[in-house]
Amino acid sequence: MDVIGKREDNMYKIAIVSAYFGPLPNYVKYWMQSAALNSDIDFYIVNDRAPIEHPDNVHFIRMNLDEFSVLASKKIGLQIHLEEAYKCCDFKCAFGLIFEDYLREYDFWAHCDLDLVWGDLRKFLNNDVLSRYDKIYPLGHLALYRNNEMMKRAFMLPGSEKGDYDHIFTSDMHFAFDELRGIYKILEKNNIPQYDRYEFADISPVFSRLKIVTNYTCYDNNYRHQIFVKEGKSTVRYYLDEKNNVQSDEFTYIHFQKRKFADFQLVADPNEPYAITPKGFIPLGGEIVTKRQIFMYNRYPGRFYEWLEWKDRNYHIIHK
């Protein structure tokens, strides 16, 4: 296995890539600021617009969808033509091959989304994890791959429950090939070591309040009263325990999962501590998070109301 050596500072070198065509999300400044705080990791945004203001460790690759299709065709060896940008998601697990000319100096490459705020990545992506696993994290909003020839082409191996890569890459349909029944199953069936702990806050689109998706993990990693806060380098959840005391835990990142934020809701200065809430990004100043803030900024509406939200969501999915 041709593993690239660690840097002189004893840290694996990581590059994280997002392919996003069209105008960037209106909340991208929060993504940018949280990326800047992870200054020992490089981030690449593949986009067809003029680069916006960005920190030194964020790099833009100017490319449109047709140019992406041409590059993917050349690197993968198929006739690929993408009609719409969302189809890029199926290609995420091939980014190490498609963008190999930009990634040669890194020990790990990764794909990511822009609808998230990073936490302290190195706290979770430590040398122990990176030395033992060839892929880290199971979902599409962030997954890391060891930068070697085997992992660049792992998507070509058998084992996908979504179909083979050549069918997926030449189809107009979306298969979620970058997630559990695609590349994850391929690596599992080929005994390639994966680190699949859910250390991130993947926010459900079903509920009005911010609540972590639970159907992946088969347990309820939520509290009735909880808020998510960006403070310094960390992304933290504050919650009330069974004795009504304020406790906290930390995540690699919080993923909004396509949740929309209106421009008037983007009120926080990303350089100051802020709460990430259903009503926007709310500055906290230097305050210690209180019970009142937990109740106010991510209100728990009650079990019955959340059941109605869940029922309404599933009704619309069934009757599309």
Side-chain angles (χ1 to χ4, degrees):
M1 188 179 294
D2 54 337
V3 177
I4 301 173
K6 287 180 285 187
R7 300 190 306 178
E8 291 181 2
D9 57 9
N10 207 38
M11 293 171 63
Y12 290 93
K13 195 169 184 183
I14 298 170
I16 300 177
V17 181
S18 176
Y20 193 101
F21 299 99
L24 298 177
N26 61 348
Y27 47 76
V28 73
K29 69 177 182 179
Y30 301 92
W31 186 97
M32 290 284 190
Q33 183 267 359
S34 62
L37 292 171
N38 289 280
S39 58
D40 53 7
I41 293 175
D42 286 329
F43 299 83
Y44 291 83
I45 298 176
V46 182
N47 185 249
D48 54 356
R49 307 299 173 97
I52 63 171
E53 184 178 354
H54 56 280
D56 291 342
N57 64 322
V58 174
H59 314 277
F60 278 82
I61 300 172
R62 189 77 176 270
M63 184 180 296
N64 62 35
L65 197 58
D66 286 340
E67 290 168 330
F68 176 88
S69 298
V70 170
L71 180 60
S73 298
K74 176 183 175 183
K75 294 293 186 178
I76 297 171
L78 296 171
Q79 282 298 113
I80 294 166
H81 182 70
L82 277 66
E83 295 289 347
E84 49 90 25
Y86 193 63
K87 178 63 180 176
C88 283
C89 292
D90 280 333
F91 288 82
K92 286 179 177 177
C93 53
F95 279 5
L97 180 58
I98 296 170
F99 299 114
E100 63 179 352
D101 296 332
Y102 300 92
L103 303 173
R104 296 190 190 282
E105 66 180 280
Y106 298 97
D107 304 306
F108 283 83
W109 59 269
H111 53 73
C112 79
D113 292 343
L114 295 183
D115 55 345
L116 55 81
V117 168
W118 301 111
D120 185 350
L121 290 173
R122 289 286 185 182
K123 183 176 289 187
F124 296 89
L125 305 176
N126 55 54
N127 282 355
D128 180 59
V129 170
L130 296 175
S131 65
R132 294 169 58 194
Y133 299 94
D134 290 328
K135 182 174 181 284
I136 293 95
Y137 295 152
L139 301 182
H141 25 92
L142 176 67
L144 289 83
Y145 301 73
R146 193 176 300 281
N147 195 14
N148 59 31
E149 293 303 316
M150 180 185 73
M151 294 305 294
K152 283 195 293 187
R153 292 173 171 77
F155 64 87
M156 297 179 177
L157 295 172
S160 168
E161 295 179 356
K162 293 286 189 172
D164 293 336
Y165 76 96
D166 51 353
H167 167 66
I168 290 170
F169 288 171
T170 55
S171 170
D172 292 333
M173 294 177 61
H174 179 64
F175 293 85
F177 189 51
D178 58 320
E179 296 206 338
L180 294 174
R181 295 180 59 201
I183 188 65
Y184 180 86
K185 278 294 180 185
I186 288 174
L187 301 186
E188 183 180 63
K189 291 178 180 179
N190 286 276
N191 298 313
I192 296 173
Q194 301 183 78
Y195 183 78
D196 56 6
R197 291 185 62 182
Y198 286 67
E199 298 173 329
F200 41 84
D202 188 20
I203 301 301
S204 171
V206 174
F207 305 100
S208 55
R209 74 174 176 128
L210 300 193
K211 184 176 181 180
I212 297 172
V213 172
T214 59
N215 61 330
Y216 299 132
T217 49
C218 302
Y219 73 97
D220 192 355
N221 186 22
N222 287 287
Y223 298 88
R224 286 188 174 184
H225 305 292
Q226 61 185 16
I227 63 170
F228 297 88
V229 173
K230 179 64 176 173
E231 51 183 24
K233 203 171 181 179
S234 300
T235 299
V236 182
R237 173 174 58 181
Y238 288 91
Y239 62 91
L240 300 185
D241 65 15
E242 295 176 352
K243 296 182 179 180
N244 214 34
N245 295 318
V246 177
Q247 305 288 353
S248 67
D249 51 10
E250 193 172 338
F251 295 94
T252 321
Y253 58 91
I254 177 171
H255 178 226
F256 311 138
Q257 199 166 164
K258 303 179 183 67
R259 185 176 291 253
K260 302 297 183 184
F261 294 100
D263 288 336
F264 68 84
Q265 294 174 316
L266 305 179
V267 295
D269 178 351
N271 295 303
E272 300 292 336
Y274 59 88
I276 304 164
T277 81
K279 295 184 177 180
F281 298 70
I282 298 176
L284 296 176
E287 300 178 36
I288 297 173
V289 173
T290 64
K291 293 179 186 178
R292 178 176 174 274
Q293 290 172 322
I294 294 174
F295 286 125
M296 182 169 58
Y297 292 149
N298 194 36
R299 187 179 68 85
Y300 173 62
R303 181 179 295 181
F304 178 71
Y305 185 79
E306 288 202 335
W307 176 80
L308 289 176
E309 288 186 311
W310 176 86
K311 184 178 180 183
D312 181 66
R313 167 78 173 191
N314 282 276
Y315 174 85
H316 287 299
I317 291 173
I318 293 168
H319 292 85
K320 271 188 176 179

